[in-house]
Amino acid sequence: MSYELNALIAASELIAVVAAEVPLARPAPLPHGLALVPMTDELHDALQHPSNTPDFGFKRFPSGFALRIAGWSKAAPIAYAETDEGHPGGRRTALWYDGRITLGPLTPADGTPLDRVLHALGATGPAAPAVATALDAYRRRPAED
């Protein structure tokens, strides 16, 4: 069975702000002061906004979400990550800071995108494997066709 992970990842304090602004956001703690918000179908639909902002090649990036994530990034770095079993190092990830993308969007051709973004968020050295392991608990398993 395959898996996917679609999530926002940032410092716990910023994820708390996201959850306060978006009631459907369900934060989950990660090691080393990080947290994530899984991009559930309900959250995806709630974050949709009609605009012409790019999706940066993400598969499940809500329309118009770039404006909102850029706003949150003015307080601290925040990442959006998509991974799947077929690309364990990350299908596509990007990091926003100060209102703009500062890293990515990265694809597996760039190495291991998820690891690079986790390092940029402060999960360096031995912290990165612990965060990556914790992320496994939030991967969803899509219904088989």
Side-chain angles (χ1 to χ4, degrees):
M1 182 184 288
S2 65
Y3 66 76
E4 291 181 353
L5 172 70
N6 303 297
L8 289 168
I9 305 169
S12 298
E13 296 83 6
L14 183 56
I15 293 297
V17 170
V18 170
E21 283 186 28
V22 184
L24 288 174
R26 299 288 180 249
L30 295 172
H32 305 282
L34 298 177
L36 69 79
V37 171
M39 184 61 72
T40 63
D41 292 337
E42 296 81 13
L43 181 59
H44 180 275
D45 293 345
L47 291 172
Q48 293 278 17
H49 182 275
S51 75
N52 291 328
T53 59
D55 65 9
F56 305 103
F58 288 107
K59 181 179 173 184
R60 291 192 36 82
F61 198 79
S63 175
F65 187 49
L67 297 173
R68 190 159 229 181
I69 199 169
W72 289 324
S73 77
K74 290 183 179 181
I78 186 168
Y80 181 74
E82 293 183 348
T83 65
D84 67 33
E85 187 173 46
H87 302 292
R91 179 175 47 230
R92 190 169 292 262
T93 62
L95 183 78
W96 281 257
Y97 185 53
D98 199 25
R100 61 186 178 84
I101 288 184
T102 57
L103 181 62
L106 302 170
T107 67
D110 299 310
T112 52
L114 184 57
D115 287 346
R116 289 182 62 190
V117 165
L118 291 175
H119 283 235
L121 289 169
T124 58
V131 173
T133 299
L135 287 173
D136 285 340
Y138 302 101
R139 296 185 197 275
R140 71 183 198 142
R141 302 194 184 285
E144 294 188 31
D145 297 326

